[in-house]
Amino acid sequence: MRITALAAVAALGSTLLFGGGAATAAPKAKAAELLCNPPVQTLGVDPNGGLWLNKHEDPVGGEARWGQARLLSGGWTGRTIAGHDGSVFALIKEGEIHRWRWNGNGWDAPPPGQAFDVIARGDWVKKFLTPEFRNRISFDNTGAMVTIEPGGELWRNPYNPQTHAWGPARLLATGWDKYNAVVTSWDGAIFGRDAQGRLFRHHHNAASDRWIDEVGVEIGNGGWQNFTRLFSPGGGLIYGMTTSGQLKWHRVTDGKLDPRSGKVLVSGWTADADITAFTNQCFENTLSTPEAPQIGAKPNSRTNLFARRDGRVEHVFVDHQRTMFHLSQANPSDEGVWRVVEGYDNFVGTPSLTENYNGSLQLAAQGADSGVRDSRLDSQWSPVGEGTGRMSSPTTLVTPQPGQAVAVAIDADGKLWGRVQNRQNGVFPSWKRIRVPAEGAPVLSSTAPTVQSVHYSTKPDSIRIIAADRTGKLFATEVSTDLVPLGDNGSRWTQLGTESGITGQVSAITKGDNRSDLAVRGADGQVYAMAEDNNGFVGQKWQAVPGLTAVGEPQAVHTPTGSLGIAARDAAGALHFTERKADGTFHPWERLAANAPASATDPSVARYRDSQVVLSFRDAQDELWITSLNWGAQAPRSGEKKADIAKATFTKIKKKR
């Protein structure tokens, strides 16, 4: 379609001229449910390409009262969809999207020097002119384009009419290939129609990038396949053109179809012609936006130390100025390369780090505004974007098999949220609730959850999530690698021990036998450990590791002897290390290094190669100190003294911006 003129054309014989229809009194809608400023303006394209403006006088009650129709222009022969604030989008066969704006009296002038405003180009546009994809595009009440793409990905792409720029586009969900039509309504309400003619209402909140309801609520009892076009002016109103040429009115409130729905507003229309409405004309205030929780300052937060598959050692941390720094070393003694993660300068806490399937690094970190920000390192860190989630806790990343990274966090209500990359090395969709069984579910604290990839030889792999409730009790649950609860109540919560008063995040490792060890600090300052056995953690008790009063969060590591090692810090900033013996008890705590200053942060540890553990900390000036603990080639036998660890000599690696 090419629009050749915007002047009014000669009157065309068209059944689009919605006549007056007898009106009857309709029940008044509650203001708390639906608010409109009648009339609702609809747009329709007649068989000759004429674009008509019609005004529905009773959108709240659904009676067939219409104002005088008005022909706006001709030449609309592609795909015509209305957006917010008078916007009209024309998708044409050449693979372009043109934007026009009706200001109530006429069309706004195009950008200087242009005949019309071309807002998108590409072959991807052409698919929305085909019967298969014609109804898989919609514009929401903010002007964002929402599309179901081949493969079933649901994307939202905002448009800024001041800058004439799109983006950044955001992946909302996968699996939407089950729907052959998408309709957007007020405040992130997104409707999808499936091949069986069922309509489901979902709710996505763009401000937090959360799915308030990603599962969807069925609207009515089917029959929606009888509509060739579905559109909404907002507020849970859905207008539909039937295959017989009838325009029908529907209203959805609290996920239910109003019993008055199905009223015929007009008959005799061309069923396959485009009909649409400006999308911000009605709204309902029953949909909620999660508030951003307050995130306190977290000075001297721990460095995340990560040993990659290729032998590189990575350090990421937030400095005193809340900037994200990264040091990459070829080995623990290498001077390394410093980088800054750009795009945001108000991070808090310890960032989370994992390795993508292709070996690139994936980072997630919390901002002071509670938003989670992601970045990826190939040759350089990608600039972080707008924060998502509005989470109370920091985010924890893990990459299980088959290699799609998983992110988990906790909201202000103490509930779990997560997201999984759309494919290996892919992007994260919007946050969705991890809906583990409600029975015994704790109200979780804002401490970062601990997340592990669990490998089983006789059943599918899973994701283990360990988190504390608000009294300091620890709980664990397992879900599938796509964050779906396990069958047969397999995701029920298990309390880890009976103690309360656990402080900080649990540190967890998985040993060569695929069993896990945990380390954590109690309210009494002692470090406690717990080992998984054949029954998991059921019935296990916390084992005190005596001899040290610790501060902060102790860190666990899988030592070269195959046992649990723990690093911890005391109140004076000295670092200590211990290792579990073959009989299950622990060696005495060993104080590390006299050549380094006091540690201002908790220690960071990682297993490196076959005989080393890398340990690092930062001092009060935010300088990074690193050492390697080296074990002898032979592990100790039962009852013998532990393998010698070389004296820890720390090296300062000065931060370079």
Side-chain angles (χ1 to χ4, degrees):
M1 177 193 73
R2 181 75 66 183
I3 301 175
T4 57
L6 288 180
V9 298
L12 301 171
S14 172
T15 55
L16 181 66
L17 301 179
F18 291 174
T24 58
K28 239 183 182 179
K30 295 180 181 178
E33 297 175 349
L34 176 64
L35 296 174
C36 291
N37 185 21
V40 158
Q41 300 182 79
T42 67
L43 298 168
V45 179
D46 69 24
N48 299 301
L51 181 67
W52 292 84
L53 176 68
N54 296 273
K55 298 181 178 181
H56 184 208
E57 303 284 359
D58 186 23
V60 175
E63 299 302 324
R65 295 204 306 267
W66 292 92
Q68 183 64 43
R70 179 178 180 179
L71 180 62
L72 301 184
S73 61
W76 298 77
T77 56
R79 176 72 170 101
T80 303
I81 319 171
H84 84 311
D85 193 29
S87 295
V88 185
F89 301 92
L91 285 67
I92 66 173
K93 64 182 180 181
E94 288 83 0
E96 296 180 349
I97 300 179
H98 299 174
R99 177 183 177 270
W100 307 86
R101 181 178 179 274
W102 180 255
N103 58 33
N105 297 308
W107 297 102
D108 283 356
Q114 299 184 34
F116 36 74
D117 188 4
V118 181
I119 63 172
R121 284 190 176 97
D123 287 342
W124 63 270
V125 175
K126 297 178 182 178
K127 66 177 172 289
F128 295 110
L129 302 176
T130 67
E132 181 183 2
F133 281 90
R134 196 174 184 94
N135 291 318
R136 300 189 191 194
I137 181 171
S138 184
F139 289 84
D140 69 16
N141 65 293
T142 69
M145 179 171 59
V146 177
T147 60
I148 301 175
E149 298 294 329
E153 293 183 347
L154 181 71
W155 284 84
R156 181 179 186 271
N157 198 353
Y159 176 73
N160 187 324
Q162 280 70 48
T163 61
H164 301 277
W166 285 95
R170 182 168 284 172
L171 175 63
L172 303 189
T174 57
W176 276 63
D177 48 349
K178 62 187 175 184
Y179 294 133
N180 57 32
V182 63
V183 180
T184 53
S185 189
W186 184 261
D187 191 30
I190 304 177
F191 296 85
R193 181 186 65 188
D194 68 13
Q196 289 73 47
R198 299 174 298 178
L199 188 70
F200 292 86
R201 176 188 176 279
H202 305 261
H203 178 204
H204 177 266
N205 180 256
S208 63
D209 195 27
R210 288 194 204 175
W211 280 107
I212 307 304
D213 182 6
E214 83 283 359
V215 176
V217 177
E218 185 174 358
I219 304 302
N221 298 303
W224 295 92
Q225 74 275 14
N226 296 320
F227 294 92
T228 61
R229 299 287 180 267
L230 294 168
F231 63 94
S232 174
L237 293 179
I238 299 177
Y239 293 69
M241 183 62 69
T242 69
T243 55
S244 62
Q246 291 183 324
L247 182 67
K248 292 187 175 182
W249 171 96
H250 309 83
R251 177 175 165 184
V252 178
T253 302
D254 294 330
K256 297 179 181 178
L257 193 63
D258 189 297
R260 298 170 295 169
S261 296
K263 291 181 179 181
V264 177
L265 300 180
V266 68
S267 298
W269 179 241
T270 304
D272 289 327
D274 284 337
I275 186 164
T276 183
F278 301 125
T279 56
N280 61 335
Q281 300 182 81
C282 299
F283 71 93
E284 56 184 2
N285 58 7
T286 56
L287 300 180
S288 59
T289 297
E291 293 185 2
Q294 291 185 345
I295 305 297
K298 300 176 182 179
N300 298 317
S301 56
R302 181 176 58 84
T303 300
N304 192 322
L305 173 59
F306 188 83
R308 296 171 72 169
R309 295 191 297 265
D310 65 2
R312 297 193 69 85
V313 180
E314 314 290 348
H315 311 255
V316 288
F317 63 88
V318 177
D319 74 352
H320 293 326
Q321 283 72 47
R322 298 190 173 185
T323 298
M324 182 75 67
F325 277 89
H326 167 230
L327 171 67
S328 181
Q329 297 177 290
N331 56 69
S333 60
D334 179 44
E335 185 175 319
V337 176
W338 285 95
R339 297 182 179 91
V340 175
V341 180
E342 305 284 358
Y344 185 73
D345 58 3
N346 202 10
F347 289 105
V348 293
T350 299
S352 188
L353 199 64
T354 191
E355 195 168 4
N356 286 313
Y357 185 79
N358 64 357
S360 63
L361 287 180
Q362 187 72 44
L363 178 144
Q366 189 175 35
D369 59 358
S370 78
V372 177
R373 288 169 171 83
D374 305 313
S375 184
R376 178 173 300 181
L377 176 70
D378 291 302
S379 59
Q380 295 291 331
W381 286 105
S382 60
V384 300
E386 184 180 358
T388 68
R390 295 190 174 183
M391 295 298 167
S392 182
S393 83
T395 297
T396 306
L397 295 173
V398 69
T399 305
Q401 294 296 332
Q404 292 169 251
V406 172
V408 178
I410 299 167
D411 70 8
D413 294 325
K415 297 175 181 175
L416 284 175
W417 292 77
R419 49 186 184 162
V420 183
Q421 286 177 336
N422 60 335
R423 59 182 65 90
Q424 291 176 351
N425 317 311
V427 298
F428 286 108
S430 301
W431 293 90
K432 65 178 184 178
R433 277 281 308 279
I434 302 176
R435 299 182 182 275
V436 292
E439 59 182 88
V443 178
L444 301 175
S445 74
S446 59
T447 302
T450 297
V451 183
Q452 290 182 293
S453 174
V454 182
H455 173 70
Y456 291 107
S457 58
T458 58
K459 57 182 179 179
D461 292 351
S462 67
I463 299 292
R464 175 182 291 143
I465 304 168
I466 303 171
D469 72 3
R470 293 178 180 177
T471 70
K473 295 178 182 177
L474 286 172
F475 294 81
T477 186
E478 287 188 25
V479 294
S480 64
T481 53
D482 60 0
L483 302 183
V484 174
L486 303 176
D488 299 325
N489 206 25
S491 294
R492 62 186 179 278
W493 287 95
T494 299
Q495 185 173 340
L496 303 180
T498 59
E499 294 84 355
S500 297
I502 297 296
T503 62
Q505 184 183 21
V506 175
S507 184
I509 61 162
T510 301
K511 299 180 296 185
D513 60 2
N514 290 314
R515 296 178 186 173
S516 294
D517 276 301
L518 312 179
V520 71
R521 182 171 68 90
D524 58 2
Q526 279 204 102
V527 176
Y528 291 85
M530 181 180 287
E532 184 180 14
D533 64 11
N534 290 333
N535 296 315
F537 292 105
V538 176
Q540 295 293 87
K541 297 181 179 180
W542 289 102
Q543 174 188 7
V545 185
L548 176 69
T549 300
V551 298
E553 298 172 347
Q555 298 299 305
V557 67
H558 181 207
T559 73
T561 66
S563 62
L564 168 66
I566 305 175
R569 175 172 59 119
D570 67 21
L575 301 184
H576 302 259
F577 190 87
T578 187
E579 186 179 9
R580 180 183 279 145
K581 296 187 290 188
D583 63 3
T585 62
F586 282 85
H587 289 283
W589 288 95
E590 180 179 357
R591 180 170 175 168
L592 300 177
N595 73 306
S599 174
T601 68
D602 292 333
S604 301
V605 289
R607 170 74 175 270
Y608 185 77
R609 302 301 193 190
D610 294 330
S611 62
Q612 296 180 58
V613 166
V614 182
L615 186 146
S616 74
F617 71 92
R618 300 197 315 281
D619 62 24
Q621 283 70 49
D622 240 346
E623 300 293 354
L624 187 63
W625 295 76
I626 301 171
T627 191
S628 291
L629 307 181
N630 295 286
W631 272 252
Q634 183 173 344
R637 298 183 182 87
S638 177
E640 289 185 356
K641 188 177 180 181
K642 68 174 179 176
D644 290 336
I645 300 175
K647 181 179 178 181
T649 300
F650 283 82
T651 301
K652 181 171 76 170
I653 301 184
K654 188 173 178 60
K655 185 170 61 177
K656 300 176 184 177
R657 182 156 189 162

